Amino acid sequence: CKILRCNSEYVAATLHLRGPDRGSAFCTALRSYSLCTRRTARTCRGDLAFHSAVHGIEDLMIQNNCSKEGPTAPPRPQPPAPNPHGFESIDICDYERSFLYKHGRPPGFQHCAAFGDPHIRTFHDDFHTCRVEGSWPLLDNDYLFVQATSSPVAKGSNATVTSKLTIIFKNMKECIDQKVYQAELDNVPAAFQDGSVNGGTRPGGSSLAIREHSPGRHVEIRADYIGTTIAVRQAGRQLSFSIRAAEEVAQAFTEEQDLQLCVGGCPHSQRMSRSPRGRGRVPTETARALCREMLPVEDVYFQSCVFDVVTSGDANFTMAAHGALEDARLFLPDAEKLHIFQ
């Protein structure tokens, strides 16, 4: 069944059609789409995507007053002439648009976060509380390297917090120069290490950009050329990291790049229970009351908040868990996976 090819050709033919004047060209593309589905009807009889496409074409033709008889579009538009920068189109630095053009559907996305003690939510929706001290890679793939440096949350405590984040956006020939972003406690800049706020002078340089949401407290880095958005926050005496990454980007690594907390979570030897034990710096019930104000659902974000407030005695950790939950709300492709219960 070649329905995905039909979808892809239709998307390619209509990608640049906009506004009220698109009429005849849009109808031509729809007739071509319909012809493509008819040619593949025999092999696609049991395919759900095929039947969805057929019904969708009928609806679109009615909505746009398209006649079933008339010219059909060529299967693919002619590629644009090469531009002076030596590649076909600057759209190569718009990952989502390029993916849609190639595959006839939007890309899938994955979410990872590290906040508080640190607690890690992996790309596979596993959730760990980690003892990790020193520097550990959150991500290490063909496009990104992210390293978190942790230190003890309080003197004599086994618990640690992220005190430094280093993010390397690796060189991508057509789009960006290599860029390094670094945040430390009380220094969450709205610029890369070289002082720039975008991907440099290359034609697709604007496909990497930093935006400040709250001065010194919350920045967002959009890397459109790899379909990725990163949020870095400071709440109290800890940094947090959240990412929404295209599946293809998140999975672009080799066997040698096997230690990535966002992929496999923290190693077994570094995992901690979130059940408060012994004497904390704040009574558990007090911590629960504080966390419930920000996190009414008693999921892993709530449990993590209680653990952090009991361990550190710092009520600001309620903001760390709340920020991580808000990032997840924005970044998760499936809203039903927002809350994790363990």
Side-chain angles (χ1 to χ4, degrees):
C1 178
K2 296 180 179 176
I3 188 62
L4 290 180
R5 191 190 68 188
C6 297
N7 293 349
S8 179
E9 289 174 355
Y10 166 69
V11 169
T14 58
L15 200 58
H16 304 291
L17 299 179
R18 295 284 184 273
D21 301 327
R22 71 177 189 171
S24 60
F26 190 69
C27 289
T28 302
L30 278 173
R31 283 192 290 270
S32 177
Y33 193 11
S34 180
L35 177 63
C36 187
T37 59
R38 289 200 297 275
R39 284 174 177 161
T40 192
R42 181 174 293 177
T43 54
C44 287
R45 269 183 310 193
D47 191 290
L48 191 59
F50 168 77
H51 292 289
S52 297
V54 170
H55 291 303
I57 293 166
E58 289 176 4
D59 291 343
L60 284 169
M61 291 189 84
I62 292 168
Q63 290 167 21
N64 291 274
N65 296 321
C66 297
S67 65
K68 292 187 177 180
E69 302 298 324
T72 56
R76 289 269 187 187
Q78 290 299 311
N83 67 26
H85 303 294
F87 54 95
E88 284 186 355
S89 166
I90 207 165
D91 280 353
I92 200 167
C93 298
D94 184 333
Y95 179 87
E96 292 189 46
R97 189 167 180 167
S98 298
F99 191 96
L100 184 64
Y101 182 92
K102 289 176 191 171
H103 303 283
R105 61 175 178 83
F109 293 94
Q110 294 181 319
H111 168 60
C112 169
F115 67 95
D117 189 58
H119 311 285
I120 306 291
R121 178 176 185 146
T122 74
F123 284 138
H124 310 295
D125 301 314
D126 294 321
F127 202 94
H128 300 151
T129 295
C130 307
R131 184 183 282 108
V132 291
E133 191 170 347
S135 296
W136 292 72
L138 293 172
L139 283 171
D140 182 10
N141 61 41
D142 294 348
Y143 304 96
L144 282 167
F145 178 78
V146 181
Q147 180 174 274
T149 301
S150 299
S151 52
V153 64
K155 192 174 180 180
S157 171
N158 278 334
T160 56
V161 289
T162 300
S163 52
K164 182 178 178 180
L165 281 165
T166 302
I167 305 169
I168 300 174
F169 296 88
K170 297 180 181 178
N171 172 63
M172 189 163 172
K173 185 179 177 182
E174 302 89 347
C175 303
I176 67 147
D177 302 317
Q178 177 171 295
K179 292 288 177 177
V180 179
Y181 178 80
Q182 199 160 78
E184 298 183 66
L185 287 176
D186 301 324
N187 182 19
V188 180
F192 296 106
Q193 268 198 321
D194 61 5
S196 64
V197 294
N198 59 34
T201 57
R202 296 185 188 185
S206 62
S207 64
L208 174 64
I210 295 184
R211 185 159 67 104
E212 191 171 53
H213 283 275
S214 175
R217 285 288 179 269
H218 180 196
V219 299
E220 182 180 277
I221 307 173
R222 291 188 63 91
D224 292 337
Y225 68 100
I226 50 173
T228 294
T229 304
I230 291 172
V232 176
R233 298 173 183 259
Q234 178 172 335
R237 306 303 302 159
Q238 67 90 42
L239 297 174
S240 63
F241 166 87
S242 293
I243 186 170
R244 174 188 186 257
E247 286 177 354
E248 194 176 53
V249 170
Q251 295 166 9
F253 58 88
T254 63
E255 289 181 11
E256 287 75 35
Q257 296 164 300
D258 59 341
L259 181 58
Q260 301 180 61
L261 301 191
C262 274
V263 176
C266 49
H268 283 279
S269 63
Q270 300 293 320
R271 295 179 193 176
M272 299 175 69
S273 165
R274 281 186 299 279
S275 302
R277 290 177 181 172
R279 292 184 62 187
R281 292 169 183 265
V282 169
T284 302
E285 282 311 309
T286 303
R288 289 177 66 84
L290 286 167
C291 293
R292 200 173 286 114
E293 291 176 16
M294 302 296 290
L295 303 150
V297 178
E298 295 194 14
D299 59 1
V300 289
Y301 292 96
F302 175 84
Q303 293 170 11
S304 301
C305 173
V306 172
F307 178 89
D308 291 347
V309 173
V310 167
T311 305
S312 69
D314 185 353
N316 283 313
F317 275 97
T318 59
M319 295 300 296
H322 176 73
L325 182 63
E326 288 307 298
D327 287 338
R329 203 184 301 279
L330 286 171
F331 290 172
L332 272 171
D334 183 354
E336 291 185 5
K337 292 183 177 178
L338 176 62
H339 299 292
I340 299 174
F341 298 93
Q342 288 180 347

